[in-house]
Amino acid sequence: MTDTTEFLAGERPEDIAFFLHEDSVSNLESLEDHATTVENGIVLVLPGEEGRSAFQSVVGMDPMGLAQQAMDTPGEIHDDLTGGNCPVSGEDPEADHTAKFVFAFAEAQNEEVGGLYAEGDVIHAYAVCTCGETYSEKWLAEETA
């Protein structure tokens, strides 16, 4: 099982995960020793604070600021965190709508909150598109395992 698979299965709730598209950052190769290489970039799974700090350092964006900005715009994020479908791509189909970054964290099941959270661990994912749009999606961890 890879770090990413464990994270998506809800087995690493203290960690964060993020995807970096190969065209979004320079010197991606320097991170490959700590990441899983995927078709268009890399996915890193790191301990909470270290992961948030690494994301901010590499991307230049506060991950929780991204979450706050993106949470009100629902979109589709690939369940392996390697991209997404920008919610405004239909408005301008000629523009590039590639997910540059995806940031994700898990939240443990919480029956008191209800809804999706009562059903199991929830993955929260936030994406930044090359067009500038930010968007989010959340799903049950078991659905991706």
Side-chain angles (χ1 to χ4, degrees):
M1 219 179 211
T2 68
D3 291 346
T4 306
T5 305
E6 289 175 355
F7 175 84
L8 292 169
E11 296 175 15
R12 298 180 68 161
E14 301 301 318
D15 294 348
I16 62 94
F18 59 94
F19 165 75
L20 302 170
H21 190 275
E22 63 192 2
D23 295 335
S24 65
V25 295
S26 60
N27 201 14
L28 196 62
E29 301 79 28
S30 67
L31 300 170
E32 287 180 342
D33 288 345
H34 310 286
T36 301
T37 301
V38 295
E39 184 177 340
N40 294 317
I42 59 171
V43 176
L44 291 101
V45 178
L46 299 168
E49 191 55 44
E50 178 185 338
R52 285 186 288 278
S53 178
F55 180 85
Q56 185 163 354
S57 176
V58 172
V59 174
M61 178 181 286
D62 171 47
M64 299 322 286
L66 166 61
Q68 189 171 27
Q69 181 181 352
M71 69 185 344
D72 293 330
T73 306
E76 279 183 41
I77 296 177
H78 301 165
D79 63 6
D80 62 0
L81 305 177
T82 61
N85 299 322
C86 180
V88 299
S89 62
E91 296 170 20
D92 186 5
E94 300 300 316
D96 180 12
H97 291 284
T98 302
K100 299 189 319 182
F101 317 114
V102 174
F103 173 78
F105 65 89
E107 190 169 345
Q109 181 175 1
N110 185 339
E111 293 182 14
E112 291 178 18
V113 173
L116 190 63
Y117 301 95
E119 297 177 38
D121 298 339
V122 176
I123 303 294
H124 294 259
Y126 307 92
V128 177
C129 182
T130 53
C131 76
E133 184 67 51
T134 59
Y135 55 98
S136 66
E137 185 176 16
K138 59 186 173 186
W139 61 85
L140 287 175
E142 292 82 22
E143 291 180 2
T144 61

